[in-house]
Amino acid sequence: MQTALEVGLPDAGFYLWAATPLADTEFARRLYAEQHVTVLPGSFLARDSGGINPGAGYVRMALVAELGECLEAAHRVVEFTRKL
């Protein structure tokens, strides 16, 4: 089964880091506008070092809602990425 986004599972915590197929800020903006799902652009969580932002190209997804809401959001993310 192919996944919609490449996601790194953390050793601990409730965040998922997902690689985005377009700029992280554009991905986050469009995902919210089209699917009403909020994620945080990775570039907002890191500083440029040597002209490179290590968070760019990723979004952070916080799994803080009830399970059903997290699953609904996951389905919306899949639907959104399939249309890109």
Side-chain angles (χ1 to χ4, degrees):
M1 175 174 154
Q2 183 178 354
T3 59
L5 295 174
E6 180 183 328
V7 176
L9 298 176
D11 292 333
F14 50 89
Y15 297 110
L16 294 178
W17 284 92
T20 60
L22 54 137
D24 56 331
T25 52
E26 180 71 7
F27 184 90
R29 185 191 66 75
R30 287 183 53 192
L31 178 61
Y32 181 75
E34 297 175 28
Q35 293 293 332
H36 309 291
V37 174
T38 302
V39 297
L40 187 63
S43 60
F44 287 12
L45 298 168
R47 293 184 179 150
D48 286 355
S49 176
I52 298 172
N53 185 315
Y58 293 88
V59 291
R60 185 178 78 171
M61 301 176 181
L63 304 175
V64 295
E66 296 293 326
L67 178 60
E69 290 179 68
C70 288
L71 291 172
E72 174 63 28
H75 290 291
R76 291 179 187 200
V77 170
V78 168
E79 182 179 333
F80 173 74
T81 57
R82 287 190 176 152
K83 293 179 182 178
L84 293 178

